[in-house]
Amino acid sequence: MIQVHSTLHRALVEFQPRDRGKVGIYVCGPTVQSEPHVGHGRYAVAFDVIRRYLLWRGFGVTYVSNVTDIEDKIIAAAQEAGESVEVLAEKMSERFSKAFRALGVLPPDVEPKATEHIPEMIELIERLIDRGLAYERGGDVYFSVKTLEGYGKLSGRRPDELRSGHRIEVVDAKEDPLDFALWKATKPGEPWWDSPWGAGRPGWHIECSAMAEKYLGRGFDIHGGGMDLIFPHHENEIAQSEGASGEPFARYWLHNGLVNLGGEKMSKSDGRVVDLESIVESRGGKALRMLFVRAHYRSPIEFSDELLDEAAEALDRLERFRQRVTAGEPDSGALLRFQEVMDDDFGTPQAMSLLFDLVREGNRQLDEGGDASPIAGAVDSIIGVLGIDDASGPQQSGSLLSDEAIDEFVEERSRARSERRFHDADRIRDRLEEAGITLEDGPDGTRWLRR
RNA sequence: GGCGACGUGGCCGAGUGGUUAGGCACGGGUCUGCAAAACCCGGUACACCGGUUCGAUUCCGGUCGUCGCCUCCA
């Protein structure tokens, strides 16, 4: 039995897909207004692990993750950069994909763009108007929060509480300050589309409602995204979708914890961000993925160079073990334990613990001349589900020695050692170390490892 | 102010009403020409104060502290 923590239920609940053996997942992708930061990497990895695990558990998974390519911020960014919204969005979108690939994130099965689903959004808005849940004011269309029973159920807020808050933008056109825009009348210089309410563009939130329904249908299984999207974005998605259909929108809501920098949220708005692309290049997507997977996906996580070092270190330990032995048929007991911890809301920290237990046990068996291939097989399987192998290492800097060249040096050193010319041998080792190659002498000869 | 999460050993990070998480770092060993790696051994940590209990880090109450959301944000 798989249990997941659903924000909607505020508890661990048994995971039961809508359709037997199949899982539909919708994860809120980025608003492509600027380059990706480490926080984006975290949500991508979190849900990629969930996707891979469900696949491993034998489900047919349809993974949908959108690109929001029309929105206030993008328009502003494009105007500032002096380029079109389209060009900017396309460029950023490509950079997100590339960075995610370096993190070992599988491409979504469907990656719908908001601008390619305007008719679906218009149709959805019309349904909401027909049902008396939305109204038009001077070319804008707003969702009427007070007419919907149960608004606030995801975020645990009551409308009157929200209303008493003083931070809600007051727009005269709205009947209620809580109402939010489904459609916005166009302003000069902005992209626009024709609609029954005149030229305009969609509001934020509506694209997810329209595209999730289109690709996954009503009552699909898992809706995911960052914790910070719970309110208002996901709350409003529920309002729109359930308001229009009268049916539940998504069965389970999963939210990943945010990335902190110096104890505080990494946030675009106050410039506290670490650029994802530069980390992936200099430190490798693999190390960053490791850093993410070491913590539970719902916990907040601190980001720093030191923590990245630690993650890379742990990765090396894993790699060294895997280089010692050829993987065989996986140890079934180990996989069973892996399944146990992952079934419990995707317990990757426990999976890591298991992984390193296996490494120690495998190393011990090898030291004793035993057969560690089943353990190595289990290690490989687990690493595969965690997606670590699909992430890329850091870009190699400095001298690039070919494998053949390294082998030659190593052989030369072995000759020196056997002739007890240790000074010569050590000089070769030091030079290789400087070039980023570490040597390890063992009973079966010398192994080397790029650092 | 409202809602929510969390406070674990030097650091990261799980978990449990009484018995070993795990990683990194550190100390001692084994091995080795040396080093690295690997393996073995090593530190009675659970914010504070009460309560329940034979027994609480784990349950209840309170205090303090940190963080998130309430506005765009993964």
Side-chain angles (χ1 to χ4, degrees):
Chain A
M1 175 176 86
I2 298 177
Q3 287 189 299
V4 299
H5 179 95
S6 171
T7 307
L8 187 59
H9 303 83
R10 265 157 242 291
L12 220 49
V13 292
E14 183 179 352
F15 176 71
Q16 292 267 15
R18 177 188 61 192
D19 305 317
R20 196 185 186 80
K22 287 191 195 166
V23 180
I25 305 178
Y26 185 95
V27 175
C28 278
T31 300
V32 285
Q33 50 170 311
S34 55
E35 52 287 321
H37 64 250
V38 170
H40 294 113
R42 159 96 124 152
Y43 93 78
V45 168
F47 289 100
D48 185 63
V49 168
I50 289 171
R51 174 190 190 182
R52 285 171 185 266
Y53 182 66
L54 293 172
L55 282 167
W56 185 75
R57 282 290 251 120
F59 290 97
V61 177
T62 304
Y63 189 92
V64 182
S65 190
N66 64 290
V67 173
T68 296
D69 57 353
I70 177 71
E71 193 267 342
D72 293 8
K73 286 275 171 75
I74 305 176
I75 294 170
Q79 281 173 351
E80 196 169 321
E83 57 192 0
S84 74
V85 169
E86 251 183 308
V87 167
L88 176 75
E90 183 55 42
K91 199 160 63 184
M92 287 305 160
S93 186
E94 180 46 43
R95 287 171 68 176
F96 270 83
S97 300
K98 197 176 159 208
F100 287 174
R101 245 177 282 138
L103 281 171
V105 173
L106 298 169
D109 295 310
V110 187
E111 194 169 16
K113 290 181 181 171
T115 51
E116 292 170 5
H117 296 78
I118 304 291
E120 287 87 344
M121 295 186 221
I122 289 174
E123 193 267 331
L124 184 58
I125 296 169
E126 283 182 310
R127 268 194 274 158
L128 287 167
I129 293 176
D130 288 348
R131 300 190 65 153
L133 291 164
Y135 56 92
E136 188 256 328
R137 286 285 182 285
D140 293 342
V141 182
Y142 295 98
F143 186 94
S144 175
V145 166
K146 67 171 175 291
T147 57
L148 184 76
E149 195 66 36
Y151 182 83
K153 66 181 178 181
L154 180 72
S155 55
R157 277 161 234 278
R158 295 198 317 274
D160 43 319
E161 260 169 19
L162 288 165
R163 235 168 248 126
S164 69
H166 37 268
R167 304 175 78 174
I168 292 162
E169 177 196 9
V170 178
V171 176
D172 289 344
K174 293 184 188 179
E175 286 178 359
D176 183 320
L178 292 190
D179 293 350
F180 56 91
L182 299 169
W183 189 261
K184 297 181 174 188
T186 186
K187 296 194 195 106
E190 292 182 350
W192 57 272
W193 290 262
D194 272 325
S195 83
W197 319 284
R201 61 192 168 85
W204 187 40
H205 318 306
I206 194 71
E207 80 282 17
C208 288
S209 284
M211 299 190 293
E213 180 171 337
K214 174 168 180 180
Y215 295 105
L216 296 171
R218 295 176 186 177
F220 66 91
D221 303 302
I222 294 175
H223 191 123
M227 292 276 187
D228 53 353
L229 293 181
I230 295 171
F231 187 89
H233 185 55
H234 289 164
E235 194 69 62
N236 290 350
E237 281 185 46
I238 291 179
Q240 293 162 349
S241 295
E242 301 195 350
S245 72
E247 295 173 34
F249 179 42
R251 297 164 70 81
Y252 308 98
W253 288 81
L254 272 51
H255 291 99
N256 65 275
L258 306 179
V259 178
N260 288 166
L261 206 54
E264 278 172 38
K265 177 186 170 182
M266 191 176 282
S267 163
K268 186 85 186 50
S269 39
D270 35 286
R272 309 170 49 76
V273 289
V274 174
D275 176 53
L276 180 60
E277 292 162 312
S278 62
I279 293 297
V280 156
E281 267 179 39
S282 62
R283 308 300 307 272
K286 213 178 251 207
L288 185 56
R289 185 166 182 123
M290 190 75 177
L291 178 64
F292 290 149
V293 170
R294 271 155 51 101
H296 187 89
Y297 77 93
R298 293 200 297 122
S299 306
I301 195 174
E302 178 69 22
F303 178 85
S304 72
D305 252 20
E306 292 69 34
L307 292 168
L308 209 48
D309 284 342
E310 270 196 29
E313 206 77 47
L315 213 49
D316 281 346
R317 180 165 160 78
L318 234 40
E319 271 320 303
R320 281 192 295 263
F321 170 66
R322 296 172 83 196
Q323 281 189 15
R324 286 185 77 182
V325 56
T326 308
E329 192 61 31
D331 180 90
S332 55
L335 294 187
L336 214 59
R337 275 185 287 159
F338 175 63
Q339 183 172 317
E340 243 167 59
V341 299
M342 288 296 282
D343 273 1
D344 182 10
D345 199 27
F346 314 103
T348 57
Q350 293 96 320
M352 288 310 249
S353 172
L354 169 61
L355 203 51
F356 285 100
D357 281 341
L358 290 173
V359 167
R360 194 193 311 106
E361 180 57 28
N363 274 321
R364 185 188 303 147
Q365 291 190 9
L366 289 172
D367 284 354
E368 290 167 1
D371 174 21
S373 67
I375 288 180
V379 165
D380 278 2
S381 300
I382 292 170
I383 282 176
V385 175
L386 297 178
I388 290 167
D389 273 348
D390 288 346
S392 60
Q395 279 190 356
Q396 307 236 342
S397 55
S399 61
L400 281 173
L401 283 172
S402 69
D403 289 7
E404 290 73 27
I406 296 168
D407 285 339
E408 251 172 68
F409 281 121
V410 168
E411 221 168 289
E412 198 181 319
R413 172 168 170 274
S414 297
R415 225 174 298 130
R417 288 179 69 213
S418 63
E419 293 162 12
R420 303 193 66 81
R421 286 185 286 113
F422 295 122
H423 278 315
D424 295 343
D426 289 351
R427 193 171 306 126
I428 293 170
R429 183 172 65 199
D430 290 346
R431 282 177 50 196
L432 285 172
E433 187 64 51
E434 275 167 38
I437 316 291
T438 300
L439 300 190
E440 290 173 10
D441 298 326
D444 309 320
T446 301
R447 297 187 303 123
W448 56 265
L449 192 75
R450 288 185 201 274
R451 300 201 63 83

